[in-house]
Amino acid sequence: MQQVAEVKPSRGGAIGEQTFADLLQPLIEPGFRLALAMLHDPQAAEDAVQEASFTAWRKVARMQDQRRLRPWFLGVVANKCRNARRKKWVAGVSLGLPEHLSVVSAEEPTLRGTDLRRAVSRLRHEDRLVVVLYFYLDMPLEDVAAVAGSSVGATRARLYRSIKRLRPDLSIQEALR
Amino acid sequence: MSLRRDTHSAFDEIAPSMAGLSERVVQTVLTENSSRHRRKRLMFRVRGPLSLVAVFALIAIVAAGLIGGRVIHDWNLFHNSVPAGDSYQSQVAQLEAVPLRIPTVQSFLDCQSGPYNSVGSYGSGPVYGDGGTASSNDWGLYFHLDAYAETKVAGPILVRALDLYTRQPVIFIGQYAAGPAAVSDTFDGHTYDQHPELLLNTSTSDKRFTSHEFVWPFVDGVPKSWSGSTGWQIDGIGFSEVFLVC
């Protein structure tokens, strides 16, 4: 039942508003892109990032190593997305998405985009997170593992399995290009 | 096109303009924080009288709890619905003797997570597992998880887990941890014994944080060398379930 890592910060004092803004602002856009790809809903994505930012305000000052802020913040965003999707799960199942989707059959680019988004949305949260971080946020596997709270080997295995589900006809090497 | 480019174009299609987003989000946090400060100042002015009311309320709650607890205790004794100690221990021993059915996985491509219930929790029931957050230390990773049930489960519930590749047991710490303690580790400022089992009972459910009927928040741990995939077996009187987390 391993889930997204939310590294517990150490005890410490508060930080100023300007410092907080300087630390957080560069993380909002990647956080939003992550949430958008996890939730497929811009408004819900902004809500998830906003909630994650409130969490960051409460906890960022207590973080011992602020170089870990980016993976930690993205992990918080991912957790907010998981909760948001749980809340709208009933709505999700009513979409009637087929169990197996081909993402390579459509010629038209928009249709292909729709198919790929649907295929990604069918992945489990943990698999979807790894795919989005690696392919959409272009993060190296080590950073993806840090956000996912898992080892690099386990993250690689999860990514390969997800690729096989998304593009069963592609070899792993082709897909990783 | 590559999967990376396809993914970019698929999600960029639905991405709105992000101009001003960072400033808006940060500003909302800071504004909300200021209003919380104002609320705190208001609270300070009424804190004196409120604290008196709180003290009286606390006394009333404690008194009610003591009286109510005594009544419930007597009621339970009268109806004898809880198994006797010896009987309970023998049930635990019976569950510990159940062989582990967690499969061996040869390749990570063979490992499929699940089964899941209708709301995405792990397990086939009557006890399910939900994920939570993780913390790391020098030894490994600790996960704050929940086991839950929506119906009363009679007798003890035994949870055991293994790393699917190394076959090393997943360890448990905290109030529900059971079985012989092998080593101890310091986590989150406290030293805990690491146990190989989790022992639950519907009478020890802790419902503080979730809406499930019976909930057991617990902490499990894996060493740094873990493979990332674990198998779980939950045994109770009359049921046994296995699920994989890959």
Side-chain angles (χ1 to χ4, degrees):
Chain A
M1 284 179 276
Q2 286 70 27
Q3 304 294 333
V4 173
E6 188 174 330
V7 177
K8 278 192 182 283
S10 62
R11 293 177 189 281
I15 63 166
E17 292 187 352
Q18 189 55 51
T19 311
F20 173 73
D22 292 345
L23 283 171
L24 195 68
Q25 267 181 1
L27 304 178
I28 298 298
E29 187 178 324
F32 178 76
R33 292 173 69 222
L34 169 62
L36 181 71
M38 296 296 283
L39 299 171
H40 301 192
D41 176 346
Q43 189 54 54
E46 186 167 338
D47 289 348
V49 173
Q50 187 71 68
E51 283 185 37
S53 302
F54 282 122
T55 303
W57 170 253
R58 289 195 304 272
K59 295 190 173 178
V60 72
R62 295 182 290 158
M63 283 197 79
Q64 238 169 7
D65 183 359
Q66 301 217 329
R67 286 171 301 182
R68 296 172 72 178
L69 182 61
R70 181 182 160 93
W72 175 78
F73 181 74
L74 293 178
V76 176
V77 171
N79 268 342
K80 301 295 180 191
C81 293
R82 175 201 297 276
N83 294 338
R85 273 183 73 100
R86 275 183 180 160
K87 284 175 194 163
K88 60 184 282 189
W89 190 84
V90 175
V93 292
S94 68
L95 292 173
L97 297 172
E99 197 64 41
H100 299 289
L101 287 153
S102 165
V103 294
V104 290
S105 59
E107 294 298 318
E108 209 273 317
T110 306
L111 269 183
R112 188 165 55 207
T114 307
D115 279 351
L116 183 53
R117 286 195 300 274
R118 281 185 172 185
V120 170
S121 78
R122 295 291 302 178
L123 296 173
R124 305 288 323 168
H125 173 87
E126 295 84 354
D127 297 344
R128 194 166 59 249
L129 177 63
V130 168
V131 165
V132 168
L133 292 172
Y134 187 80
F135 285 115
Y136 189 45
L137 269 67
D138 298 322
M139 291 171 67
L141 213 50
E142 291 75 14
D143 292 358
V144 174
V147 175
S150 195
S151 67
V152 174
T155 304
R156 182 182 294 111
R158 187 178 293 285
L159 181 66
Y160 287 6
R161 274 198 309 273
S162 305
I163 290 170
K164 279 291 170 199
R165 283 180 198 137
L166 290 173
R167 288 282 171 87
D169 54 325
L170 273 188
S171 74
I172 296 293
Q173 296 311 320
E174 282 178 299
L176 291 178
R177 273 181 207 152
Chain B
M1 284 179 85
S2 72
L3 185 52
R4 186 179 300 278
R5 285 169 60 188
D6 281 353
T7 309
H8 272 269
S9 72
F11 289 113
D12 287 345
E13 275 171 17
I14 58 167
S17 163
M18 283 177 252
L21 175 69
S22 304
E23 293 77 8
R24 189 164 68 245
V25 168
V26 172
Q27 197 52 48
T28 304
V29 174
L30 298 178
T31 307
E32 175 69 13
N33 180 57
S34 301
S35 66
R36 281 180 189 172
H37 274 306
R38 279 197 295 278
R39 282 200 295 273
K40 274 185 182 173
R41 283 199 293 273
L42 177 67
M43 282 301 292
F44 184 75
R45 282 197 288 272
V46 294
R47 191 170 286 169
L50 275 181
S51 55
L52 272 177
V53 174
V55 166
F56 286 123
L58 186 63
I59 291 169
I61 289 167
V62 169
L66 286 173
I67 295 165
R70 184 71 205 170
V71 169
I72 290 167
H73 178 71
D74 291 348
W75 177 267
N76 284 339
L77 278 180
F78 180 69
H79 286 270
N80 199 23
S81 59
V82 176
D86 285 350
S87 160
Y88 188 79
Q89 286 309 318
S90 74
Q91 286 178 328
V92 171
Q94 192 183 327
L95 296 180
E96 284 176 330
V98 174
L100 284 174
R101 298 180 292 113
I102 297 168
T104 302
V105 178
Q106 300 299 335
S107 153
F108 62 78
L109 286 173
D110 297 335
C111 187
Q112 296 291 328
S113 292
Y116 301 96
N117 68 4
S118 60
V119 293
S121 300
Y122 291 97
S124 52
V127 180
Y128 304 97
D130 251 351
T133 58
S135 306
S136 59
N137 70 359
D138 290 340
W139 176 77
L141 285 165
Y142 287 94
F143 295 90
H144 299 260
L145 310 172
D146 285 339
Y148 72 88
E150 300 297 8
T151 52
K152 185 165 172 60
V153 180
I157 301 159
L158 185 73
V159 181
R160 293 170 289 179
L162 293 178
D163 186 304
L164 283 175
Y165 300 94
T166 65
R167 308 303 285 179
Q168 291 291 312
V170 172
I171 62 91
F172 300 95
I173 61 172
Q175 65 167 321
Y176 302 115
V183 284
S184 57
D185 182 37
T186 301
F187 162 65
D188 209 15
H190 300 278
T191 300
Y192 294 97
D193 286 335
Q194 296 183 339
H195 297 263
E197 298 168 354
L198 205 60
L199 190 58
L200 314 174
N201 185 305
T202 43
S203 64
T204 60
S205 159
D206 180 352
K207 282 193 61 156
R208 274 177 295 177
F209 304 112
T210 69
S211 57
H212 299 298
E213 198 59 37
F214 302 100
V215 189
W216 302 272
F218 67 93
V219 178
D220 78 314
V222 287
K224 276 186 172 171
S225 58
W226 77 304
S227 70
S229 298
T230 47
W232 295 68
Q233 181 165 329
I234 305 179
D235 295 303
I237 305 302
F239 75 91
S240 178
E241 52 179 311
V242 171
F243 60 82
L244 306 185
V245 182
C246 305

